[in-house]
Amino acid sequence: MIVGIDLGTTNSLIAYFTEDGPKIIPNRLGKHLTPSVVSVDEEGNVYVGETAKERMSLYPNSVAETFKRSMGTDREYILSGRHYKPEELSSFVLRALKEDAEHYLGEEVTEAVISVPAYFDDKRRKATKRAGELAGLKVERMISEPTAAAVAYGLYDKTRDTRFLVFDLGGGTFDVSVLELYHNILEVRAVAGDNYLGGEDFTEVMAKLFLQKAKLQLSALTEKEQVRLYRQAEKAKREISDNTEVTMSFLYREDTMEQTITYKEYEEACEELLMKIREPVKKSLADAGLKLTDIDEVLLIGGATRLSIVRDFLIRLFRKFPDTKLNPDETVALGAAIQAAMKERREEVKEVILTDVCSFTLGTEVVVEYEEGKYEDGRFCPIIERNTVIPASHTERLYTVRDNQSSVRVRVLQGESRFTRNNLYLGELEVEVPKGPKGSESVDVTYTYDINSLLEVEVTVVSTGLKRKMIIKGQDNQMSEEEIAKRMEELSYLKIQPRDQEENRLVLTRAERMYEETLGDRRKKLDHYITAFEAALKKGNHDEIREARESLNEVLEEEED
Ligand code: AMP
């Protein structure tokens, strides 16, 4: 089974293709969104998602989030004293998603199409691929997030050429992409964005408004209090879209503070953020050589596009209503699942030509005459360069280098070095050429590389028209099997917590957090329910555990409100 995965900065999702179209697979807690948060405790137990997030205020040094931002860099995260690279943390998220999908589908998930931001360069894409491999998933194809959104909206099915702008405001990142559907080819024309702008900034504005009204300084709050303040601000931010005002409360030292914030106040405070949003929109249009009015459709993705402040702003800007028929959190994962179905060549989906970029250079070996009569062989001649939009087809003409040369051998290589010995050998072809003085005969070497990593090499002798052809299935510079196996083993002492206990673990972690946040009678009441739940867990009776968990959950919900 091939699945589609949206490995997001704040949340990740996994989807598959059914007879009724693409569908999100619920995680172990029955939820569609799995927070891209990882926690590792002192014993090396790994927590992923909601539970890891809950551990944030309890054990801040054991938790990592927004690591997608550092994907492909050497940054290391230290969790409970252990070091991890961004792709390793991502592999934990992918492992949890894979396990949940396997449980849900009742079959093994071996392969995934993973979405990546359109601006992700080669290094970041490779790191993403490695994350998949470390999670035991084959990742042959990636899809850019805006392309996935367009695919999910079925836009590739349009009969006339269309231009769309995909507006993606996530938790911590903002991406704008201009796409064009032209003769059945869907191409990303321009991308722009801000890696440090997202829904969290809107939360921060809310938190600051609260502090300002309550006459408090952020620096006066402890780390845990700050986490709590942001949690309350996040809630208020979500509520304000449907209300003219919200009342936000916050436990400071011994007091519960309350402040009312109006929609208008909040909108004014967000003005600067809206200005920041305008810039990448303008830039992407300018790069694509288009005006605002040239855009036929605006698609919204990313959770923060639910903010009515953002929607109102876009309606004013484009003078049209954006397309929002799909859930903005789920669009990319659904698109990735459709792409997975295309890869499986499912009949239900029409194969469209999606473009991508080639993440490495493909070329051949040539002999270079560096001085009259002096030759250096083993030099690399690029034919399809890294970051070329694919599918792509390029031709290079090569000449004979010796008198009476009777054949030309075309070696096919992949890599970035000037010297073929440093690049990866993929195969070779040989064609016969009529004998003659050097340089009198030539061959056209055509490389055609497609989105399925298939490289077609065609060599044509210019004078005789003789053709030879071969097809090479791409290697894509993956980590070697041994390297992956070695790192997987190194990471395998870390056990992702078994999924069947997840609900209990989450409730307990949340209860522990809430216990720290409350005082007096409320704390006593909580303690009572926690103790009862722990007792039920010790006894191990299923029904009792469920009952005690539900009671504790009710108390937690009450408290959270
Ligand atoms: P994503 O990275 O796409 O999952 O987006 C997460 C961001 O969306 C977070 O900043 C959330 O606060 C924000 N978000 C999710 N739901 C809502 C909502 N109903 N109203 C406002 N913001 C939301």
Side-chain angles (χ1 to χ4, degrees), residues 154-262:
L155 293 183
Y156 60 88
D157 237 354
K158 296 226 157 183
T159 43
R160 72 185 172 90
D161 299 343
T162 318
R163 293 160 178 149
F164 15 80
L165 183 135
V166 180
F167 183 96
D168 178 1
L169 192 62
T173 52
F174 173 44
D175 300 312
V176 187
S177 319
V178 176
L179 277 82
E180 192 160 11
L181 180 72
Y182 180 74
H183 290 334
N184 218 20
I185 296 180
L186 187 59
E187 186 168 318
V188 179
R189 287 279 309 276
V191 290
D194 188 333
N195 225 345
Y196 290 92
L197 179 67
E200 309 307 331
D201 295 289
F202 288 84
T203 309
E204 193 172 332
V205 168
M206 185 63 90
K208 288 205 169 132
L209 255 182
F210 180 91
L211 289 174
Q212 198 186 331
K213 289 195 153 203
K215 302 200 170 38
L216 275 176
Q217 293 289 332
L218 187 66
S219 55
L221 307 186
T222 63
E223 205 170 322
K224 284 186 182 177
E225 280 168 341
Q226 289 186 19
V227 172
R228 236 155 48 207
L229 173 75
Y230 278 91
R231 192 167 326 107
Q232 293 306 104
E234 168 78 28
K235 252 178 76 185
K237 175 186 83 173
R238 288 175 188 232
E239 274 171 36
I240 209 161
S241 288
D242 305 318
N243 297 290
T244 48
E245 58 177 46
V246 287
T247 302
M248 181 175 153
S249 60
F250 168 58
L251 177 77
Y252 178 64
R253 309 285 136 95
E254 317 262 304
D255 302 321
T256 301
M257 299 180 130
E258 280 196 350
Q259 293 296 335
T260 299
I261 291 155
T262 66

Side-chain angles (χ1 to χ4, degrees), residues 489-502:
E489 184 162 338
E490 281 162 8
L491 294 176
S492 71
Y493 68 89
L494 296 164
K495 290 277 169 281
I496 293 199
Q497 294 284 291
R499 40 167 300 123
D500 56 339
Q501 301 281 323
E502 188 66 18

Side-chain angles (χ1 to χ4, degrees), residues 60-206:
N61 293 331
S62 82
V63 185
E65 56 176 357
T66 62
F67 34 84
K68 179 177 174 181
R69 281 199 183 126
S70 312
M71 195 70 111
T73 68
D74 293 330
R75 174 159 179 201
E76 283 204 318
Y77 291 77
I78 305 173
L79 305 188
S80 299
R82 296 170 210 254
H83 294 241
Y84 302 100
K85 298 212 296 201
E87 68 250 42
E88 292 169 351
L89 295 171
S90 303
S91 82
F92 292 139
V93 176
L94 293 172
R95 225 158 93 182
L97 293 175
K98 175 181 184 304
E99 279 175 18
D100 289 352
E102 285 174 343
H103 178 82
Y104 181 82
L105 300 169
E107 64 177 287
E108 210 191 340
V109 172
T110 48
E111 191 172 342
V113 171
I114 302 183
S115 62
V116 286
Y119 61 83
F120 253 29
D121 61 10
D122 187 39
K123 235 174 140 186
R124 288 159 173 250
R125 281 168 197 248
K126 282 208 182 108
T128 307
K129 191 171 261 198
R130 269 200 304 278
E133 283 157 6
L134 288 171
L137 287 167
K138 193 158 103 187
V139 186
E140 272 186 358
R141 207 187 266 188
M142 287 187 198
I143 183 168
S144 84
E145 288 163 5
T147 308
V151 168
Y153 268 96
L155 293 183
Y156 60 88
D157 237 354
K158 296 226 157 183
T159 43
R160 72 185 172 90
D161 299 343
T162 318
R163 293 160 178 149
F164 15 80
L165 183 135
V166 180
F167 183 96
D168 178 1
L169 192 62
T173 52
F174 173 44
D175 300 312
V176 187
S177 319
V178 176
L179 277 82
E180 192 160 11
L181 180 72
Y182 180 74
H183 290 334
N184 218 20
I185 296 180
L186 187 59
E187 186 168 318
V188 179
R189 287 279 309 276
V191 290
D194 188 333
N195 225 345
Y196 290 92
L197 179 67
E200 309 307 331
D201 295 289
F202 288 84
T203 309
E204 193 172 332
V205 168
M206 185 63 90

Side-chain angles (χ1 to χ4, degrees), residues 10-11 170-171 199-200 234 237-238 302-304 306-307 329:
T10 1
N11 291 300
E200 309 307 331
E234 168 78 28
K237 175 186 83 173
R238 288 175 188 232
R306 286 216 181 82
L307 276 165
D329 295 317

Side-chain angles (χ1 to χ4, degrees), residues 238-519:
R238 288 175 188 232
E239 274 171 36
I240 209 161
S241 288
D242 305 318
N243 297 290
T244 48
E245 58 177 46
V246 287
T247 302
M248 181 175 153
S249 60
F250 168 58
L251 177 77
Y252 178 64
R253 309 285 136 95
E254 317 262 304
D255 302 321
T256 301
M257 299 180 130
E258 280 196 350
Q259 293 296 335
T260 299
I261 291 155
T262 66
Y263 188 91
K264 197 150 186 338
E265 283 171 326
Y266 185 54
E267 192 173 35
E268 274 168 21
C270 289
E271 190 55 35
E272 209 177 307
L273 289 178
L274 296 176
M275 283 299 133
K276 273 185 156 175
I277 282 178
R278 191 194 290 263
E279 287 312 311
V281 173
K282 276 172 44 193
K283 184 169 181 300
S284 63
L285 287 170
D287 286 354
L290 299 174
K291 298 188 295 294
L292 276 167
T293 46
D294 291 331
I295 296 297
D296 301 305
E297 307 227 16
V298 179
L299 306 183
L300 299 189
I301 56 175
T305 57
R306 286 216 181 82
L307 276 165
S308 47
I309 283 176
V310 172
R311 289 197 177 184
D312 291 348
F313 171 76
L314 287 173
I315 293 167
R316 284 200 304 274
L317 191 65
F318 286 96
R319 298 213 179 94
K320 60 164 64 94
F321 286 90
D323 201 339
T324 53
K325 70 172 183 284
L326 296 178
N327 183 337
D329 295 317
E330 301 182 351
T331 312
V332 170
L334 296 174
I338 297 174
Q339 171 78 43
M342 284 179 193
K343 186 162 189 291
E344 280 182 310
R345 304 206 174 273
R346 299 266 299 240
E347 276 172 17
E348 301 94 309
V349 286
K350 186 178 117 194
E351 177 104 31
V352 276
I353 302 171
L354 304 178
T355 61
D356 199 344
V357 289
C358 180
S359 54
F360 40 75
T361 301
L362 292 162
T364 188
E365 182 172 85
V366 289
V367 174
V368 174
E369 187 172 11
Y370 60 95
E371 224 176 82
E372 179 65 27
K374 289 195 174 152
Y375 298 94
E376 186 186 347
D377 55 13
R379 289 284 288 274
F380 184 59
C381 165
I383 296 182
I384 292 181
E385 283 201 289
R386 188 180 68 235
N387 286 342
T388 302
V389 172
I390 52 173
S393 190
H394 289 199
T395 302
E396 195 71 33
R397 183 165 286 186
L398 306 177
Y399 294 86
T400 49
V401 288
R402 282 188 318 272
D403 290 336
N404 290 324
Q405 190 173 330
S406 61
S407 67
V408 175
R409 192 161 52 114
V410 175
R411 299 183 75 214
V412 184
L413 298 130
Q414 163 188 325
E416 311 306 323
S417 170
R418 286 171 64 233
F419 302 100
T420 51
R421 61 172 183 273
N422 300 330
N423 293 334
L424 184 69
Y425 170 80
L426 300 176
E428 64 184 52
L429 269 179
E430 196 159 345
V431 287
E432 299 79 45
V433 290
K435 288 184 183 169
K438 73 174 184 196
S440 63
E441 284 296 324
S442 59
V443 293
D444 278 343
V445 180
T446 303
Y447 280 18
T448 306
Y449 190 63
D450 76 3
I451 192 156
N452 294 320
S453 309
L454 290 182
L455 171 66
E456 185 190 280
V457 179
E458 188 180 81
V459 183
T460 311
V461 180
V462 178
S463 64
T464 63
L466 175 72
K467 275 187 201 301
R468 287 273 148 76
K469 213 180 195 171
M470 73 188 281
I471 288 178
I472 298 168
K473 206 161 156 32
Q475 298 297 309
D476 203 7
N477 265 1
Q478 290 165 6
M479 266 167 107
S480 72
E481 301 257 323
E482 300 91 78
E483 280 172 312
I484 293 172
K486 183 162 164 275
R487 191 56 188 147
M488 270 172 102
E489 184 162 338
E490 281 162 8
L491 294 176
S492 71
Y493 68 89
L494 296 164
K495 290 277 169 281
I496 293 199
Q497 294 284 291
R499 40 167 300 123
D500 56 339
Q501 301 281 323
E502 188 66 18
E503 219 170 330
N504 298 341
R505 213 162 17 244
L506 174 62
V507 173
L508 264 186
T509 316
R510 181 169 286 159
E512 241 181 276
R513 190 250 299 162
M514 206 75 95
Y515 181 88
E516 291 200 5
E517 289 176 10
T518 47
L519 291 168

